Amino acid sequence: MTKKDLKRKRTADINKENVPEEEVLPAKRMSDDPIPKKVQWINRQRVLVFCTRGISYRHRHLMDDLKTLMPHHRVESKMERTKNLQVVNEMCEMKNCNKTILFEGRRKKDLYMWFSNIPTGPCAKFLVENIYTMGELKMTGNCLRGSRPLLSFDENFNTKPHYSLLKELLVQIFGVPYHHPKKDGGLAEIGPRFVLNPIKIFAESFGGEVLWDNPAYISPAKLRGSLKNTAAGKYINKVEQKIAQEVNKPKESYSLNPLDEIFKGDPLEKALELKEKEVEVPQTIDSKKKKLKKNKNITWLQKKIKANSKKKAKN
């Protein structure tokens, strides 16, 4: 045998050793026996990421950002909004995908995101709020194309059943590596940022029984309508206050200031009246002074006559 043949044999033996042998389960097994763990893990998740017609440019950029973070995604053209969402299950089967993320836009303002497990379910519907894409944030971090994302959840996701269901659904969709070592939190952020407001969780894929419904959810259309109603209510209150003020205003008020009568009637006539009064007042004063002078002269003459008569009587 040549050296090349020996090398081929060695490589074949090494490959046989690395390939895990399929374990044959026994015909009867106790329920308490632990399930044997797989030695080699293969990620078979394929996620179909697409949208409906009518989304805005910011929503489309957010969808593209998620595609860059998910190397195991599949692409599909836009879907008509008139079609039933049950068609998504058939589209995923044609693309050989078992998970899907659907972006549904309404009125070119609101964005809804669907996470679904094909074909059995469950399915969750979210309202996307406070969107900031990678282009808007301009973070310094960078990621290798083909690397998978890491998810971190709060402790509250283990407290309630619907939170734990959403946690498992997100883990399967984003394809976190099996037994991946945890980071120390020193990762650099690259974006995007957005808030998912849960609305409903369905038992089947895009339909079926409602497992959970958010009681505190208010649709954005109703929220905008309530804001308009409050703004209209403020204007109506102002108009009502003006009308009430005019109705309750007294027609006759007390004349506290005598000078207020000056501004009533024709101003020219009032000016002439004031001039006539000014002329009459000094005339009356002069006549009074003359009378006083006359009285003083009379009294002086009377006193002088009395004095002269007394002198004559003495003589």
Side-chain angles (χ1 to χ4, degrees), residues 103-167:
F103 291 84
E104 183 182 1
R106 294 180 186 175
R107 300 182 181 181
K108 293 187 177 180
K109 295 180 180 179
D110 309 325
L111 179 64
Y112 296 89
M113 192 181 294
W114 293 79
F115 293 96
S116 179
N117 182 27
I118 305 297
T120 57
C123 176
K125 182 180 180 181
F126 297 90
L127 174 66
V128 188
E129 299 173 339
N130 302 330
I131 300 172
Y132 296 96
T133 60
M134 288 184 182
E136 293 174 346
L137 294 174
K138 295 181 181 179
M139 295 291 183
T140 58
N142 191 6
C143 65
L144 296 174
R145 186 171 293 276
S147 61
R148 297 187 179 274
L150 299 177
L151 302 179
S152 61
F153 294 92
D154 190 56
E155 294 179 355
N156 294 324
F157 278 89
N158 299 324
T159 56
K160 295 182 180 180
H162 60 277
Y163 286 157
S164 59
L165 180 62
L166 291 175
K167 177 181 177 180

Side-chain angles (χ1 to χ4, degrees), residues 59-121:
H59 302 161
R60 186 175 66 253
H61 290 172
L62 177 64
M63 183 178 66
D64 294 337
D65 292 342
L66 288 181
K67 287 179 181 178
T68 57
L69 294 175
M70 301 170 64
H72 57 289
H73 77 277
R74 295 292 181 270
V75 185
E76 181 63 28
S77 60
K78 293 181 181 179
M79 187 181 73
E80 296 291 338
R81 288 183 295 177
T82 56
K83 291 184 179 180
N84 191 5
L85 294 179
Q86 294 290 335
V87 182
V88 180
N89 297 327
E90 299 177 1
M91 296 167 67
C92 291
E93 289 180 0
M94 292 171 65
K95 290 285 184 177
N96 195 16
C97 296
N98 54 2
K99 300 287 188 301
T100 183
I101 299 177
L102 175 63
F103 291 84
E104 183 182 1
R106 294 180 186 175
R107 300 182 181 181
K108 293 187 177 180
K109 295 180 180 179
D110 309 325
L111 179 64
Y112 296 89
M113 192 181 294
W114 293 79
F115 293 96
S116 179
N117 182 27
I118 305 297
T120 57

